[in-house]
Amino acid sequence: MQNLQQVFEQLVLNPEHPKASEWLKAVALAFWYEDFVPATDNFLGDDVAQAGFVLDKLSRYSCTPLSSKQKVRDYVLPTLKLNNQSKSVNTSDALAMAWGVNSDLKYSFKSLLPYQRRSYQHLA
């Protein structure tokens, strides 16, 4: 598999791609179980909002380790919010509206349900 940073970038740049669910799963599992917090410095314009939305959404799940949640909430999200210029939205997801993104990845996030349970054993 590709480097996780590259997978995150593909997800942010192409959220409507047919492989978006697969990319989101890889990023989510690494974020939740491997202490992976992607870099967000290279995004511009609407991509800043999409990156912020994905990380904000992932950090809200109960399976997120406290260390990752704090890193994202204290350092990554404030920087992204300052640089967010996106305002166009066409979604019913409140968090997506707050970030100003059109792609809420609704079905991709729904597919993550089996990986959020205590019974899930992530084997790195």
Side-chain angles (χ1 to χ4, degrees):
M1 175 176 257
Q2 295 177 351
N3 158 332
L4 285 170
Q5 180 64 38
Q6 290 173 333
V7 173
F8 177 72
E9 290 172 7
Q10 287 178 323
L11 174 66
V12 169
L13 297 174
N14 304 297
E16 300 297 326
H17 192 281
K19 289 189 171 190
S21 290
E22 180 183 319
W23 296 336
L24 180 61
K25 176 186 168 190
V27 170
L29 290 176
F31 183 74
W32 291 334
Y33 301 112
E34 298 173 20
D35 200 30
F36 168 70
V37 177
T40 57
D41 314 10
N42 297 330
F43 296 113
L44 301 170
D46 292 344
D47 299 333
V48 170
Q50 191 68 42
F53 167 70
V54 169
L55 290 175
D56 197 355
K57 186 107 173 176
L58 287 174
S59 72
R60 292 171 184 258
Y61 287 90
S62 61
C63 57
T64 305
L66 186 57
S67 62
S68 295
K69 189 176 291 201
Q70 286 179 322
K71 192 182 298 182
V72 166
R73 298 249 169 114
D74 293 345
Y75 303 107
V76 179
L77 295 182
T79 303
L80 291 175
K81 285 180 182 176
L82 284 175
N83 295 319
N84 183 9
Q85 302 297 320
S86 184
K87 296 293 179 226
S88 63
V89 292
N90 185 22
T91 179
S92 60
D93 184 302
L95 188 60
M97 278 192 232
W99 278 97
V101 297
N102 283 319
S103 182
D104 60 12
L105 295 161
K106 180 162 95 177
Y107 297 107
S108 297
F109 275 103
K110 282 184 178 183
S111 71
L112 297 177
L113 184 63
Y115 308 106
Q116 304 167 43
R117 299 195 172 135
R118 291 181 185 164
S119 59
Y120 177 71
Q121 287 268 347
H122 181 67
L123 305 173

